[in-house]
Amino acid sequence: MLDNLTTVRAIYDVCENGDLDKALNLLRDHIRKTVLREVRPLATWAEPELQDGSIYFKPDARWDVRKDDCIAVWISLGEPTSLHPLEHDAWVGLYVPENWRKREPFIQALQKHKPKGFIHLHEVEDPGSYAQYRPLWATVPYVRARKKTFDVVAFIADIVRHTKALVALRPKIDKLLQSAKST
């Protein structure tokens, strides 16, 4: 590491002076606009919420499961500087409030509708700290294994593709919610 001290210091400066946060905010805004343009059904959904560096989409009040919380499609840019390997990459997932009393049966039923390329909470030993909120997700790596660089076009295309997969689950999620609310 000492051989690369100049690079280490430059990276530290970027992380400490807020440049990384600024870049992630610009990227998030670009992703929000691209997803809204590319995922056509979202045009009829509620305005996306931006919170804690993430983007949340919900279709309507039917996805409200608590007075102050709802199920939502969740796009997170992750924490690129995190030391936890499941948290430093971006991901697209389904947000399900942790304190919803019908959460576990909903998550169980959701497992059989898992889109290709997604991970279900019950499939992994250490799903990371966000798993308490995201029972279904697909990781979007910043760095491609072969290229070892950030390919912004492929990155955003993966986010759009995974968002489309979750939005396509809406009829199934609506039925699961209807069933959960009637019991």
Side-chain angles (χ1 to χ4, degrees):
M1 175 163 357
L2 293 177
D3 290 343
N4 298 307
L5 197 52
T6 303
T7 303
V8 171
R9 286 181 178 153
I11 292 169
Y12 178 81
D13 288 344
V14 166
C15 293
E16 284 298 306
N17 72 17
D19 287 347
L20 180 62
D21 289 338
K22 290 174 193 169
L24 288 173
N25 285 336
L26 288 171
L27 178 61
R28 184 185 65 234
D29 191 52
H30 180 69
I31 288 169
R32 179 187 58 80
K33 290 174 184 174
T34 302
V35 167
L36 283 170
R37 186 180 64 248
E38 299 290 326
V39 185
R40 300 250 185 252
L42 291 178
T44 64
W45 288 32
E47 185 68 24
E49 286 186 37
L50 304 176
Q51 183 179 345
D52 299 327
S54 295
I55 309 166
Y56 297 86
F57 299 93
K58 77 168 191 167
D60 53 41
R62 285 181 286 182
W63 283 26
D64 292 344
V65 294
R66 296 180 42 85
K67 181 180 178 184
D68 60 344
D69 216 344
C70 65
I71 291 174
V73 172
W74 182 5
I75 298 173
S76 172
L77 296 184
E79 300 175 26
T81 58
S82 171
L83 297 178
H84 193 287
L86 289 175
E87 293 176 0
H88 63 265
D89 280 326
W91 43 266
V92 177
L94 193 67
Y95 169 81
V96 179
E98 181 182 25
N99 50 6
W100 176 37
R101 62 185 171 89
K102 297 186 181 186
R103 183 179 196 272
E104 194 54 40
F106 176 81
I107 291 171
Q108 285 291 111
L110 189 63
Q111 189 168 8
K112 65 182 173 189
H113 302 294
K114 179 184 79 163
K116 182 179 180 181
F118 277 73
I119 300 165
H120 189 274
L121 175 64
H122 297 145
E123 296 174 338
V124 292
E125 282 185 40
D126 179 18
S129 64
Y130 289 108
Q132 61 188 338
Y133 307 110
R134 60 167 190 194
L136 188 66
W137 74 94
T139 302
V140 182
Y142 278 99
V143 178
R144 303 291 169 176
R146 278 184 262 153
K147 292 184 178 181
K148 297 193 185 318
T149 60
F150 179 56
D151 180 345
V152 71
V153 173
F155 181 80
I156 293 172
D158 284 349
I159 288 176
V160 167
R161 180 172 46 86
H162 293 314
T163 302
K164 284 180 178 180
L166 284 181
V167 168
L169 283 181
R170 181 183 177 185
K172 292 175 178 152
I173 292 170
D174 286 348
K175 284 183 182 179
L176 291 173
L177 286 171
Q178 186 178 9
S179 176
K181 289 177 180 180
S182 68
T183 59

